[in-house]
Amino acid sequence: MPRPLWTGAISFGLVTIPIKVVSATENHSISFHQYHREDMGRIRTRKVCELDGEVLSQEEIGKGYEVAKDRTVPVTDEELDRMPLPTAKAIEIVAFVEADSIDPVRISDSYYLAVDGQVAAKPYALLRKALERSDKVAVAKFAWHNRERLGLLRVREDAIVLHSMRWPDEIRSPESLAPRETELDEDEIERAVQLTDSMALDDISGFRDRYREALEELLAARSEGKALPAAAGAEEEEPGKVMDLMAALNASVKEARQTRGEDATVHEMTPGRPRARKKAAPAGKKTAGKRTSAKKAASGKTAAARKQPARKTAAKKRTAS
C-alpha cells in the first residue's frame, strides 16, 4: 500500500470509521533538471533572505500573513493545529446527493480511503453498501493543509474514493467565453451526431500516453548514442484558412468508421437551407386536377389511334413502289 498522506476518521452520523488516505493516482510524467550548458552543472533554486542575503534551510523558514505593506503577522504550525475546527481530523459527511448533480469542473484530486485497523472494517463496509444501494454520493467536509475543503465520497469497486472538490465561489463563470449565437444547418448537426456515434466507446482503458513513450525513446537514444527517432510527419492547417465544416464532418465520420473496422461508406451531405413543405391542395382542386389529367390522357390516346391507320397506308405505298 502507498504511504498514507493523512489519517483520521469518517464521521457518518454517530458512526466513526478510522481511515487512512492514500493517493488514488500516480504521476508518470518525465521531469527534467535545469543545468548550465557550459559545464553541465545543476541549477538549483535557493531560498534567500532579502534582508541579509543568507541562504536559509527549511527549519529557519516560518509562515506569515501580510496584513499591510511592510507589516507581516507570523503564524506558527502549532497555532494552526489548535484551531477549533471540527473537521481537523475527520471527514465529516454532511449530505447525500445524486451523482449527476455534481459539476465535474468542481472535482479535483482523488484519494482512496483505506480502513485503519480491523475495528473499522464493519462500519467501512456498511457505508460502502449504503452508497451502493442508495445510488448516491456523499458530500463531506475535511481539513487538509491548513484549510477546510469540500469532498465527494463514492464507491469504486470495493473501495471508497474521496474526491477533493472546489468551493462554489472558486468556479469561474463561462458566460463571457461562450460564442455568439450562430446559425447551424440541420444537416451539419445530423452529421456531427453521426460522428459522435462513430467515435463512441464503452471502455477507454486502452488509451496510452504516446508523448511519454516517444520521450522515453528519445532519452534512450541520447543515452546510448544512437540516432534519434524520426519525427512523424503531420499536416498543418494554414493559419486563417476557412474550414469547410461539412467536408470536415464527412471526412471525420469516414475516418472514424475505418478506424473501428466498420463500413466506411459515407453518403456525402451538403449543407442547404431547410426545404419548405409543400402545401396540400384543397379537396376540390385536387379532384379537378385529376379530371383534367384524365381528359388529357384520353385525348392523347385518340390522337394516337387516328395516326395509326395513316402510318400503315404510307408503309404499304412504299412497299408497292
Side-chain angles (χ1 to χ4, degrees), residues 181-215:
E181 283 286 333
T182 181
E183 292 184 5
L184 291 174
D185 189 270
E186 278 300 322
D187 290 339
E188 294 171 342
I189 299 174
E190 184 180 343
R191 183 60 85 202
V193 172
Q194 289 180 6
L195 178 57
T196 62
D197 291 338
S198 301
M199 297 177 66
L201 287 176
D202 295 327
D203 182 16
I204 59 171
S205 60
F207 289 113
R208 304 197 314 271
D209 185 351
R210 296 194 180 278
Y211 178 82
R212 180 171 62 87
E213 292 176 356
L215 188 56

Side-chain angles (χ1 to χ4, degrees), residues 245-321:
L245 184 58
M246 183 55 75
L249 288 170
N250 285 327
S252 299
V253 172
K254 186 175 182 179
E255 183 179 352
R257 290 180 178 175
Q258 286 177 335
T259 303
R260 299 184 63 170
E262 298 176 0
D263 182 10
T265 303
V266 176
H267 299 289
E268 299 292 332
M269 297 176 65
T270 55
R273 295 180 180 177
R275 297 177 181 176
R277 294 181 179 177
K278 294 182 179 180
K279 294 182 179 179
K285 291 185 178 180
K286 222 171 191 181
T287 309
K290 284 183 178 179
R291 287 174 183 169
T292 307
S293 300
K295 284 182 180 179
K296 286 182 178 178
S299 61
K301 287 180 180 179
T302 306
R306 287 174 182 170
K307 289 180 180 179
Q308 198 68 20
R311 287 176 183 168
K312 288 181 180 179
T313 306
K316 285 180 180 180
K317 287 182 179 179
R318 283 197 298 271
T319 306
S321 60

Side-chain angles (χ1 to χ4, degrees), residues 17-89:
I17 311 170
I19 51 92
K20 297 177 182 179
V21 178
V22 297
S23 179
T25 59
E26 294 178 329
N27 185 3
H28 291 165
S29 299
I30 296 175
S31 58
F32 295 95
H33 294 307
Q34 292 182 323
Y35 70 95
H36 187 191
R37 290 182 176 178
E38 184 176 335
D39 55 15
M40 293 299 293
R42 281 282 302 276
I43 306 299
R44 300 183 183 274
T45 302
R46 297 184 178 183
K47 297 181 179 181
V48 180
C49 176
E50 64 178 12
L51 296 180
D52 56 21
E54 291 187 10
V55 178
L56 304 179
S57 64
Q58 189 60 41
E59 291 74 21
E60 298 174 286
I61 300 173
K63 294 185 180 72
Y65 180 77
E66 188 176 16
V67 294
K69 190 175 181 180
D70 298 330
R71 186 188 171 200
T72 301
V73 177
V75 180
T76 65
D77 291 335
E78 292 75 16
E79 291 172 335
L80 294 173
D81 291 338
R82 289 198 302 266
M83 285 179 60
L85 196 61
T87 55
K89 276 295 180 180

Side-chain angles (χ1 to χ4, degrees), residues 2-3 5 21-29 107-112 154 156 161-164:
R3 179 176 172 270
L5 304 174
V21 178
V22 297
S23 179
T25 59
E26 294 178 329
N27 185 3
H28 291 165
S29 299
I107 296 178
S108 185
D109 297 325
S110 302
Y111 306 91
Y112 287 131
R154 70 176 184 87
R156 185 177 190 272
V161 183
L162 169 66
H163 301 286
S164 62

